[in-house]
Each structure stands twice: as structure tokens, then as C-alpha cells.
Amino acid sequence: MELDKKNIKKQSTSIVDNRSNSVNPQSFSKECSDIISFETLISSHLEKRRKKVVDYFMNSSKDHAAIVMSTIFRESRNHIRIFAEDLAGPISSNDNYRNELLSFILRDGKLDIILQKKSQEEDSMVHLLLQIKGGKVLNKYSNNININYTSEKCKLGKFENVHFCIGDDSMYRIETDTKKFLAQCSLFDSTIAGVLINKFNNISTNN
């Protein structure tokens, strides 16, 4: 499967002016405007989802990634699958990400996670999930969470190491560049979601 990257825009403007170590108002305004525009884009794709229109869009920053993931968590009702490095980075530390994932668990949703390494961060998302899994908190939901580890990388098309999330067999985010947070996403595409589910299950079986 070849992923279309032509619409990915690189974000190179920082909201902090390094020379003065102070907030750059112009850059900050641009950043806020960008987030609002992206949330508007998400809203349009949610409308397409409700009309069962297959479509996809790109994201190219950690802020956009957190918005996409939070949306997938919020819209999912039954099953979320995540293949990631460690759930201890800037995306999974986002408050909306955490709150929406916990809300999904509290809705009695099933969460399957495969990670490429263990996190030592006690405030990481995976640490909280392990506490739930171990019955230390919210023990009512402990059987709904599965967390496994692998040394395997997931290859998809020309991309050698992708991370991905699948929500309810029809939503997904495929991160093809884990350093720049470049990803292809869809809120309604059961075909590609099915490909990712097969990838996830194969990795799970091999480990």
C-alpha cells in the first residue's frame, strides 16, 4: 500500500523565539490558527464519517496527532488497537489524548496495545494503563486491556517502521515518520483499517 504524502506540509515555525527566549506573538497566533483550522478539518471528516463517505487526510505535527488520536478514541465504541513505540512521548502525554482514552475504557471498550519498548516513566500513559490492567485502579476494567511487547517493526509499503492506531475497524492513523509525526488518517475507511488489523494480529501472533 502506497501512502500519499503530497499534501503533508512541514511545520518549521516555532512559537518560541530562541534569540530572546520569549514567546513570539506572531508565531503563537499562527500556531493557534493552525490548530483551529485542523480542528475544522477534523469536523468535516467526522461529518463524512456519519455519511459513511470514505476519505483520508494528513497530519504533520504532534499537536495534530494528539487531535486525531483523541478523535479516534472519542468516536470509538468497541475496540481500539495501538501499535507504538512506548506510549511515553509527547502525543500520549497530551491531556486530551489521555482523557479520551480513559473515557473509552470507562465506556467498557476493549484496548489492545503492542509496544516496541517498555517505558520507565511513571507518569506515562502506559504506566497508568498497566495499573488498570493490574487491578490497582479501575479494576472493573482490567480485563478490557491487553498490553504486549515486541522487537518487531511494522513495514507498510515503502515505509520500514510505521506506528498506527485503529478505532472500531474503520478509523485509523498511520504514522510513517515517527520523528516528524507525519501520518495518513481516516475516520471512515474499513478497507485500510482491515489491512492494519491483519498487520496488528500478525505481530501479536508472532510475539
Side-chain angles (χ1 to χ4, degrees):
M1 181 184 68
E2 293 294 325
L3 302 183
D4 185 356
K5 297 173 66 180
K6 65 180 180 180
N7 292 323
I8 294 177
K9 295 182 179 179
K10 295 182 179 179
Q11 296 188 352
S12 58
T13 304
S14 172
I15 65 171
V16 177
D17 187 333
N18 294 325
R19 291 170 296 179
S20 61
N21 198 32
S22 62
V23 174
N24 182 326
Q26 183 176 4
S27 296
F28 181 76
S29 177
K30 181 179 180 181
E31 186 79 6
C32 290
S33 176
D34 178 65
I35 293 299
I36 293 171
S37 297
F38 192 73
E39 288 177 337
T40 300
L41 173 69
I42 293 294
S43 295
S44 70
H45 280 274
L46 282 172
E47 186 62 27
K48 290 179 181 180
R49 170 176 171 77
R50 294 182 179 99
K51 294 178 179 178
K52 298 185 177 180
V53 176
V54 175
D55 205 354
Y56 75 92
F57 57 96
M58 316 305 290
N59 98 244
S60 57
S61 76
K62 62 180 184 294
D63 293 326
H64 288 181
I67 292 171
V68 175
M69 296 292 280
S70 299
T71 301
I72 291 174
F73 298 158
R74 185 172 61 252
E75 291 295 313
S76 294
R77 294 294 177 267
N78 301 309
H79 197 175
I80 289 173
R81 300 170 178 87
I82 298 174
F83 178 76
E85 184 177 35
D86 58 8
L87 289 191
I91 299 174
S92 58
S93 64
N94 179 278
D95 286 343
N96 286 336
Y97 179 110
R98 292 185 174 217
N99 291 339
E100 293 296 350
L101 187 53
L102 285 175
S103 293
F104 170 77
I105 293 170
L106 293 175
R107 294 196 298 272
D108 207 26
K110 181 180 179 181
L111 178 62
D112 283 318
I113 299 174
I114 301 176
L115 301 176
Q116 292 174 311
K117 69 178 184 180
K118 294 184 178 181
S119 170
Q120 303 301 320
E121 302 293 333
E122 292 191 359
D123 63 344
S124 67
M125 187 67 211
V126 70
H127 182 75
L128 174 58
L129 293 174
L130 285 169
Q131 287 187 310
I132 299 174
K133 176 64 180 173
K136 295 180 180 180
V137 294
L138 301 174
N139 62 325
K140 174 183 176 181
Y141 304 98
S142 61
N143 291 331
N144 290 13
I145 300 173
N146 293 305
I147 301 175
N148 295 298
Y149 297 91
T150 184
S151 58
E152 190 173 336
K153 292 183 178 181
C154 179
K155 182 177 180 180
L156 203 59
K158 64 182 180 181
F159 301 102
E160 296 293 334
N161 184 29
V162 303
H163 294 160
F164 58 86
C165 171
I166 316 154
D168 276 356
D169 304 346
S170 62
M171 296 175 283
Y172 65 80
R173 178 178 182 272
I174 310 170
E175 191 168 83
T176 56
D177 188 324
T178 59
K179 303 299 183 184
K180 298 179 180 179
F181 309 104
L182 303 181
Q184 178 171 311
C185 322
S186 178
L187 299 181
F188 190 76
D189 185 348
S190 58
T191 300
I192 300 301
V195 172
L196 295 174
I197 290 171
N198 288 336
K199 287 280 186 182
F200 189 93
N201 290 341
N202 287 339
I203 294 172
S204 180
T205 300
N206 292 340
N207 292 275

